[in-house]
Amino acid sequence: MNESILLWTHGPYDDVAEDGEEGICFKVRKSWLSHLLPQYGYADMSDFMRHYSWDETEEILFMAEGENEILYKKCWFSGDVVSNLLIEA
């Protein structure tokens, strides 16, 4: 059984981001995420996965970073110069 989950959110808002930047995908443990779901109004993980917004996962990303819960993080850019920039967590 997979113990982690991959989520998407808005890309970086700093000077590193380039035009065409699409977003960030990141992975956290399901057990860590499940304790946050009630505060966002979700009944369970399936409900969350069907309806979450990138604004919510942006908050979750910040919390996960603060609690050292990021298992994987990757920025996706659509431009040719910077492509699939891996950020080691």
Side-chain angles (χ1 to χ4, degrees):
M1 180 157 86
N2 191 352
E3 299 297 320
S4 63
I5 191 161
L6 188 68
L7 302 171
W8 282 87
T9 192
H10 305 288
Y13 298 113
D14 57 24
D15 293 337
V16 176
E18 303 205 1
D19 290 341
E21 166 265 317
E22 296 174 10
I24 296 172
C25 64
F26 64 100
K27 192 180 282 191
V28 295
R29 289 181 298 114
K30 286 181 181 178
S31 59
W32 178 84
L33 179 60
S34 65
H35 84 275
L36 298 175
L37 298 184
Q39 77 185 48
Y40 290 99
Y42 295 104
D44 56 29
M45 193 67 70
S46 294
D47 184 30
F48 174 75
M49 292 306 295
R50 282 192 307 271
H51 300 106
Y52 80 82
S53 72
W54 279 24
D55 289 343
E56 292 166 338
T57 51
E58 183 176 45
E59 290 178 21
I60 291 168
L61 173 61
F62 292 145
M63 283 187 271
E65 288 174 331
E67 296 178 24
N68 201 26
E69 290 289 338
I70 300 293
L71 304 175
Y72 170 86
K73 182 178 170 184
K74 192 168 189 173
C75 294
W76 288 90
F77 296 88
S78 62
D80 292 330
V81 176
V82 180
S83 167
N84 302 339
L85 173 65
L86 181 64
I87 299 174
E88 294 295 335

